[in-house]
Amino acid sequence: MTAKIWTHSADSHLLEPKDLWHQFLPRAQAERMPRIEQINDDEERVHVDGKSFVRPLPKIMKVKGSTGLTIAELSHRPPGSRDIHARLADLNQEGVWAEVMFQSIGLWCGLIDDPELIRAAARAENEWLATEIQAVAPDRLVPAALMPLVDVDAAVAELYHAAEVGLHLVNMTTGHPRAAKDYNDDSWEPLWAAAEETGLVVAFHIGTDGGDQASMFRGPGGAVLNYVQAGMGGQYAAMKLVASGALERHPRMRVLVAEGGASWVPFIGDRMNEAYRQHSMFVRPQLARPPKDYLYEQVYASFQHDETAPAALWAMGYRNVMFGTDYPHLEGTFGHTQETLHGLFDDMTPEVRHRITRGAFEELFPHVSAPPA
Ligand code: MN
């Protein structure tokens, strides 16, 4: 360990205040919004609009935060996950300058069925994100807008609203949106056009398919199988936008697949090119260039620990590899970010390190400032 490596993070999270919905929404609506209730030392219950389910709490890990944390806080919810000033102290200590921040509680909004409720919730959360979060350090904090994906018109309206309040990206679910056609359908065209027009990045955070219990693996190895499976929704989302021609029609549109690793991109690109070439008689629509070109140019992908991710750049020519801490989650690097960065990059050229820690991020979000020299 020598000098501090400053990085940006393309994948971080914030935990909304417990009373967020009550601050913005009428009581009757606020009470239907997602909330999390800890039911014992090992489990919590997620409530969303009359539905609820239990999920295991992350196990306590050794985490070195900026403050003296109690054991209960040494989980994936250190004070900085809620308190924006404690967060900045954590970021400075970890060597993280700017970061994309996804919601936590807001992610469960995908389970809401009532279009009116989800539209109101997204509008409220996005105004809160712009004024209470991003405004604290607009050159460092890049919160993702919550999107009402109940229909395309609602999504388009909220994307323009997010742009108007100054947000820089929108957060889509990786799964097939519940009340709309899938992302490869042309009905989504107005949203891609709006993203291109405003310059907002279209982000897919892995594991936002909706928590389908039926498709979970069980038995020996289940935890590992489910972990890998959870990352695949982002790959499908990217493939849908490439294969349907959406990215070709919108060459300035940029997509971020967060937390799902990066070395899948060359692999998927090769597979898509082979399909395109060998099965060309079946391929609709025809694209002007091979699918891998669009994937490589317009899709950005973030990883935390993956030791093969840098090679996707230097050995396989995929330039949009981005580091992400996944702060403050268990899957992330909080407490060992510098160790992780040195392990990844000490043997790499300065160009590779710069591109992955900063260059790709600053290309997507040119408004962020540079870290201390
Ligand atoms: Mn994440």
Side-chain angles (χ1 to χ4, degrees), residues 36-45 57 77:
I36 295 172
E37 167 200 17
Q38 188 165 341
I39 49 181
N40 56 46
D41 286 347
D42 301 319
E43 295 173 311
E44 64 185 7
R45 185 179 291 279
L57 276 171
R77 286 168 196 163

Side-chain angles (χ1 to χ4, degrees), residues 11 13 205 259 326 329:
D11 169 32
H13 296 265
H205 186 285
E259 204 186 312
D326 202 24
H329 289 172

Side-chain angles (χ1 to χ4, degrees), residues 46-219:
V46 181
H47 298 268
V48 188
D49 196 16
K51 290 171 279 215
S52 77
F53 54 92
V54 174
R55 59 178 212 148
L57 276 171
K59 292 278 176 280
I60 305 304
M61 302 288 279
K62 268 202 320 195
V63 175
K64 288 173 271 175
S66 58
T67 50
L69 303 181
T70 68
I71 289 295
E73 290 163 341
L74 286 172
S75 64
H76 71 327
R77 286 168 196 163
S81 62
R82 273 212 168 96
D83 175 335
I84 201 70
H85 299 284
R87 181 185 195 93
L88 286 166
D90 281 346
L91 298 189
N92 290 340
Q93 175 175 304
E94 294 287 302
V96 178
W97 189 249
E99 58 171 8
V100 166
M101 304 158 79
F102 292 97
Q103 306 95 351
S104 298
I105 297 171
L107 289 178
W108 301 107
C109 287
L111 298 175
I112 295 173
D113 288 319
D114 178 354
E116 194 48 50
L117 182 60
I118 180 63
R119 278 198 293 264
R123 181 157 280 254
E125 171 137 2
N126 293 339
E127 283 174 15
W128 175 77
L129 286 171
T131 55
E132 302 293 320
I133 302 297
Q134 183 171 277
V136 173
D139 61 327
R140 296 183 67 182
L141 303 172
V142 190
L146 178 63
M147 289 292 274
L149 297 174
V150 284
D151 63 61
V152 177
D153 289 346
V156 170
E158 192 50 42
L159 186 145
Y160 280 118
H161 174 244
E164 199 180 291
V165 298
L167 298 179
H168 300 280
L169 74 163
V170 293
N171 181 19
M172 311 289 285
T173 57
T174 50
H176 180 162
R178 282 148 52 86
K181 297 254 172 80
D182 208 348
Y183 294 128
N184 61 330
D185 191 85
D186 287 347
S187 56
W188 284 98
E189 197 57 21
L191 187 68
W192 314 142
E196 184 174 49
E197 180 196 328
T198 56
L200 262 61
V201 172
V202 175
F204 296 90
H205 186 285
I206 65 152
T208 49
D209 311 40
D212 180 3
Q213 298 285 316
S215 64
M216 280 182 73
F217 294 98
R218 291 185 169 75

